[in-house]
Amino acid sequence: MASELSAIFAAQTMARLLDASAALLAPENVVVLGLPDDELHREILLPLLPAMITDKAIRGYWQEHAAVGFIRRLGIALDGEGECPQWRAVDFEIHVTASYLAGSDARALADTLLSEESLREMAAAILNAAIVKLWPDFALAPTPPMEPATSPATISLRFSVGRKTLRSIIRIADTSTFLVRRSLAGHWVAHKNRV
């Protein structure tokens, strides 16, 4: 249960981290990252990377590969077992079937990154520069509270067939009894029984 909650928390934190990274990659904010001012950064990576990291299909791909990708390293860091997690070039080897479902800008960059390892390394470096700026706020985020395990309510049914009405009594453990009727129009209606 605890590991499931940690995985959910890591996935939620990754979504927030990707959103914050995309905002930090806006042209007016990118100066604080100290990135190179060359043609590849200026015309390919910085304009398209925010679209890629906010794309639902790309995020879904990363989530499916959570056991081996960035999200795993993020989970370890959030559990307090590691420093600021780092993106790796391999995190940007997004399979064609995932990029096919992505938006046009995200798909264009994902397909380009898949074929160019040097660009994958640059994309990882850009997001690592962003995470260094963002990590202090994320590292201090509270861990999710442990939710107590609950068992579902027990439902017992008893059917009785009358003239043209079907009636059943539903008893939910530790609560109340309800009378459920099917009207002639075919709709089901439940009323709390006052017994």
Side-chain angles (χ1 to χ4, degrees):
M1 178 77 169
S3 62
E4 288 176 23
L5 284 176
S6 294
I8 291 169
F9 183 62
Q12 291 171 345
T13 302
M14 181 165 175
R16 290 180 25 247
L17 184 60
L18 289 172
D19 290 340
S21 296
L24 193 57
L25 294 177
E28 63 273 9
N29 299 331
V30 82
V31 172
V32 300
L33 298 177
L35 298 172
D37 187 26
D38 59 27
E39 188 176 348
L40 286 174
H41 282 81
R42 196 174 49 247
E43 295 185 17
I44 297 173
L45 293 171
L46 290 174
L48 297 178
L49 199 52
M52 188 178 126
I53 65 176
T54 58
D55 188 88
K56 185 178 178 179
I58 302 298
R59 287 184 179 193
Y61 178 82
W62 282 329
Q63 183 63 40
E64 290 171 6
H65 295 85
V68 294
F70 177 80
I71 196 167
R72 180 178 183 277
R73 295 187 295 279
L74 177 61
I76 291 169
L78 291 171
D79 286 340
E81 299 174 17
E83 296 295 317
C84 176
Q86 295 291 298
W87 287 92
R88 298 180 185 158
V90 71
D91 295 325
F92 297 94
E93 287 183 25
I94 297 165
H95 196 273
V96 175
T97 55
S99 66
Y100 178 76
L101 300 172
S104 59
D105 286 347
R107 181 174 52 247
L109 183 57
D111 291 347
T112 302
L113 294 177
L114 185 61
S115 62
E116 295 290 332
E117 184 178 356
S118 62
L119 287 178
R120 290 195 303 269
E121 290 171 1
M122 289 180 188
I126 290 170
L127 287 184
N128 285 335
I131 201 171
V132 165
K133 298 284 185 191
L134 298 169
W135 186 247
D137 293 334
F138 283 87
L140 299 175
T143 56
M146 294 295 289
E147 296 178 14
T150 58
S151 59
T154 305
I155 299 175
S156 58
L157 300 172
R158 186 178 67 196
F159 295 99
S160 61
V161 179
R163 293 175 110 182
K164 290 192 179 184
T165 357
L166 179 62
R167 298 173 192 227
S168 59
I169 298 174
I170 300 176
R171 174 111 179 117
I172 301 176
D174 300 327
T175 57
S176 302
T177 303
F178 295 87
L179 181 63
V180 181
R181 291 183 181 161
R182 184 175 181 190
S183 69
L184 294 174
H187 301 289
W188 287 89
V189 181
H191 300 282
K192 188 171 184 177
N193 195 1
R194 298 184 186 248
V195 176

